[in-house]
Each structure stands twice: as C-alpha cells, then as structure tokens.
C-alpha cells in the first residue's frame, strides 16, 4: 500500500509541475493508426506519356484522387488536393474553360498529339494503407490502450487486462506481417474510350511511410513486418531503398523457423481396399468390353504470389520508417 501511495503522489506532483505545458493524449488504436500506433501512408509521382491517335481532340477526365500537371503551356494545367483538418480541398486549374468539361476536371489532348502528364498522390493528401492489428494469445485484449503526454513527456496511461487467468503470459512477440500489397493496373486507371488515347510509357517513384503516431517520448519500440504497399501490374518495380530482407515465401519460412513451428504436414490416409466379392469392380473396361484409357489432363502451373517483405525494428527514438522504390512500364513497340 505504501508503494502505491508514493507512486500516486509522484504522479500528482508530475502533473502539477507540467500542467502549464501542452498536453496530448492518444487511444490505441486511434484515428488512422492500429493498436501498435502505426500509421501507413503511400505517396507516389508517376510521369505518363500519352498519345491521341484520333483525328479529333479528346478530353481526358482525371480521377480527382490524383493530383496532375500537364507539361505544356508552362504547366498551367494542374490540380492538387490538400487536407484542411479533416476536409479535403481541391485547388482547381486556373482556366476552368480549358480544363473542365461536363463539370469534370481534366485536360484536352489534340489530334495526334503526344503529351506528358504527371499524376501524383502527395504527402498533403496521402493514400492510407490499412495495417492489421497486432494479435497474440490474449487476442489483442492486452497492452497499453491510452497514452498521455505533457510537453512530449509520457506521464500516464491505461493498460488492458485479459481476464482469462489461465494465460499468465500472452506469448512471445514476433514480426507479424501487417499488410498485403494492393494492385494497381495503371493502364486501366488511365484508360480512355475506344482506344484512341494510348499510354506509351510511365515511370516514377513510390514511397511508403510508417509512423509510430503516439510515441512522442520515444520510449515505445516496435517490431513488425510489412510488404510492398502497391504493385503496379505488368510494370517493373526496382531500386528498393532500403533493400527488402526477403520475399513473402521466404518470410513464411522465416516465421515458422523463428517460432519453432514445423511446416504443415497432412496426415497419411489409408484408402479402403475394395472387397474381392464386390458386385462392381473398378476397372478401365466398359460393360461392353471396350477398353478405355485414362485421360491425360494438363493444368497450367501457377506461379506463387511473391513480393518484397521488410522486417522492421523501429526504435523508440525513430518514430518513422520509409520505404522507397521505382516503377517503370513501356508499351511494346513504342520504344
């Protein structure tokens, strides 16, 4: 009782001394981050080359989720979005007569014109990556779920208790994979009608930023695994920084070994033997006596889904971790 009383007094004194400063509090999970406090956001900038094969102009409607800038007329044809609190604000092109049609925002591409356009998802309006919750034998009902800071100093919090006392421990932490890649068919995203407007090539840079949101004091290290966030279908992805630790299939083997778990092995099954006095014996001969051959079926081999995986130990002093890589695609025959 005395030790509890002393701790209570020390907390009260701490609150009294720091109450004049700024106070922040966080729930785990919280708005935009999982129960580990991790927020994942993707940004990218993709330079696209388009050509209009039609003898008349085409208006290309842009998905407003993308910022864009057309590289002509001094870059005046552009739109970008920003977050204003919880609201999204789109800054439209200056010349609405040129860059809107039917109340859609975009740009004209003239007959037989080749034009370069940059499409972006920026840090001012990033794309959120849904990160899974960290789980263990206590089903995620254990651990800190509230943190409070004063002047970036951790002063108090709350911890969840798993009420099943048959589990004195909730397991041993290991780097759980928190996401799976999302697939973007960039050719389809930028598709237009009738095939007149063709995408010749694109290239760009993708960034995946992970932030330990509630760790203002730098005292809460994290241990986890993440995969590449976005895969551009049919494109080449390269230049990963930092280099991934392994691919997904290797990660599965690594986790089984890390946790000392044997790989899955099915039980041996003994098939029942057909009785000799059975009324109908299984043969390869029809009742008429005509012998039939077993059909030879060939199924296409399927390549296992594989993608880069990073094992991350994020020290409390480092609240963020960034993965960067490049993407490139060129239409066949376009050079």
């Amino acid at each position: 009782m005395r030790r509890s009383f002393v701790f209570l007094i020390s907390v009260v004194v701490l609150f009294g001394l720091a109450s004049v400063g700024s106070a922040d509090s966080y729930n785990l999970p919280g708005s935009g981050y999982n129960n580990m406090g991790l927020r994942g956001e993707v940004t990218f900038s993709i330079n696209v080359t388009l050509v209009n094969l039609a003898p008349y102009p085409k208006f290309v409607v842009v998905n407003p989720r993308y910022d864009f800038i057309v590289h002509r007329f001094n870059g005046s044809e552009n739109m970008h979005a920003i977050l204003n609190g919880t609201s999204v604000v789109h800054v439209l092109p200056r010349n609405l007569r040129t860059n809107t049609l039917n109340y859609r925002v975009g740009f004209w591409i003239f007959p037989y014109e080749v034009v370069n356009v940059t499409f972006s998802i920026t840090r001012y309006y990033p794309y959120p990556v849904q990160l899974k919750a960290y789980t263990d034998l206590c089903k995620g009902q254990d651990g800190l779920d509230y943190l409070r800071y004063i002047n970036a100093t951790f002063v108090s919090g709350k911890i969840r208790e798993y009420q099943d006392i048959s589990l004195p421990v909730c397991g041993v932490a290991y780097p759980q994979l928190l996401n799976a890649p999302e697939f973007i068919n960039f050719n389809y995203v930028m598709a237009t009608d009738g095939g007149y407007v063709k995408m010749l090539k694109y290239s760009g840079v993708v960034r995946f930023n992970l932030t330990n949101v509630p760790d203002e004091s730098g005292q809460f290290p994290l241990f986890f695994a993440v995969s590449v966030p976005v895969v551009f279908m049919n494109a080449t992805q390269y230049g990963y920084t930092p280099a991934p630790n392994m691919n997904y299939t290797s990660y599965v083997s690594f986790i089984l070994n890390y946790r000392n778990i044997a790989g899955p092995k099915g039980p041996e099954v003994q098939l029942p033997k057909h009785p000799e006095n059975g009324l109908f014996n299984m043969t390869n001969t029809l009742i008429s006596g005509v012998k039939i051959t077993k059909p030879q079926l060939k199924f296409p081999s399927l390549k296992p889904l594989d993608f880069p995986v990073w094992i991350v130990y994020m020290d409390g002093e480092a609240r963020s971790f960034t993965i960067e890589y490049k993407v490139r695609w060129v239409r066949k025959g376009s050079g």
Side-chain angles (χ1 to χ4, degrees):
M1 289 295 294
R2 178 173 298 175
R3 281 180 294 180
S4 298
F5 180 74
V6 171
F7 174 74
L8 178 61
I9 291 297
S10 65
V11 170
V12 170
V13 171
L14 181 58
F15 271 92
L17 292 175
S19 60
V20 295
S22 62
D24 297 290
S25 60
Y26 301 87
N27 292 306
L28 290 165
S31 176
Y33 53 88
N34 68 358
N35 63 346
M36 293 172 62
L38 270 178
R39 171 182 293 155
E41 295 175 333
V42 166
T43 60
F44 57 77
S45 179
I46 307 295
N47 296 314
V48 178
T49 301
L50 300 173
V51 60
N52 180 14
L53 301 177
Y56 32 82
K58 292 278 190 172
F59 186 83
V60 178
V61 180
V62 178
N63 177 356
R65 190 59 179 86
Y66 287 84
D67 292 3
F68 77 90
I69 178 170
V70 184
H71 297 290
R72 64 183 180 189
F73 308 141
N74 296 321
S76 59
E77 302 171 286
N78 64 81
M79 180 180 71
H80 62 276
I82 58 175
L83 277 176
N84 184 11
T86 58
S87 301
V88 179
V89 178
H90 289 86
V91 181
L92 300 180
R94 286 178 292 176
N95 191 339
L96 297 180
R97 291 186 177 182
T98 299
N99 291 109
T100 65
L101 188 66
N102 299 337
Y103 290 98
R104 271 63 175 175
V105 180
F107 56 91
W108 287 96
I109 181 169
F110 305 111
Y112 312 117
E113 181 186 21
V114 176
V115 65
N116 294 317
V117 186
T118 298
F119 296 94
S120 305
I121 301 291
T122 73
R123 64 186 180 90
Y124 300 106
Y125 187 25
Y127 180 74
V129 176
Q130 299 301 318
L131 298 177
K132 299 176 183 177
Y134 181 82
T135 59
D136 49 31
L137 292 178
C138 292
K139 304 175 183 178
Q141 299 177 28
D142 58 304
L144 293 165
D145 66 354
Y146 174 79
L147 306 175
R148 189 168 188 270
Y149 295 87
I150 294 180
N151 292 337
T153 299
F154 175 66
V155 294
S156 65
K158 296 180 181 179
I159 191 167
R160 289 182 300 270
E161 296 178 353
Y162 188 54
Q163 294 300 318
D164 185 355
I165 64 172
S166 66
L167 291 177
V169 298
C170 298
V172 176
Y174 66 94
Q176 296 181 17
L177 186 63
L178 300 182
N179 73 304
E182 296 188 40
F183 293 86
I184 296 181
N185 189 338
F186 212 63
N187 308 69
Y188 177 77
V189 171
M190 302 302 170
T192 55
D193 65 327
Y196 276 121
V197 178
K198 298 286 188 182
M199 184 180 295
L200 298 181
K201 61 182 179 180
Y202 66 80
S203 62
V205 177
V206 183
R207 293 179 179 87
F208 182 22
N209 185 256
L210 297 150
T211 304
N212 187 352
V213 176
D215 191 17
E216 288 190 8
S217 61
Q219 295 180 353
F220 296 97
L222 302 178
F223 188 37
F224 59 92
V226 288
S227 73
V228 63
V230 176
V231 172
F232 288 78
M233 295 179 63
N234 302 318
T236 300
Q237 297 187 172
Y238 63 102
Y240 292 99
T241 305
N245 298 94
M246 58 192 73
N247 54 26
Y248 176 71
T249 53
S250 300
Y251 167 78
V252 173
S253 300
F254 164 75
I255 287 299
L256 292 175
N257 182 62
Y258 188 89
R259 302 183 67 192
N260 196 24
I261 299 176
K265 183 179 181 181
E268 295 183 2
V269 178
Q270 297 293 331
L271 296 177
K273 296 182 179 180
H274 196 282
E276 295 181 358
N277 59 350
L279 297 177
F280 188 83
N281 292 321
M282 299 295 290
T283 69
N284 62 347
T285 304
L286 297 176
I287 297 177
S288 61
V290 178
K291 188 174 181 179
I292 59 175
T293 59
K294 182 180 180 180
Q296 300 295 322
L297 300 179
K298 293 184 178 180
F299 295 96
S301 59
L302 297 177
K303 295 182 179 180
L305 181 62
D306 227 351
F307 42 81
V309 171
W310 288 259
I311 308 295
V312 182
Y313 178 82
M314 188 183 295
D315 188 271
E317 295 181 359
R319 291 183 61 192
S320 64
F321 180 80
T322 301
I323 295 167
E324 183 176 299
Y325 57 97
K326 299 177 182 178
V327 59
R328 178 181 64 235
W329 177 87
V330 178
R331 177 179 293 276
K332 293 182 179 179
S334 65

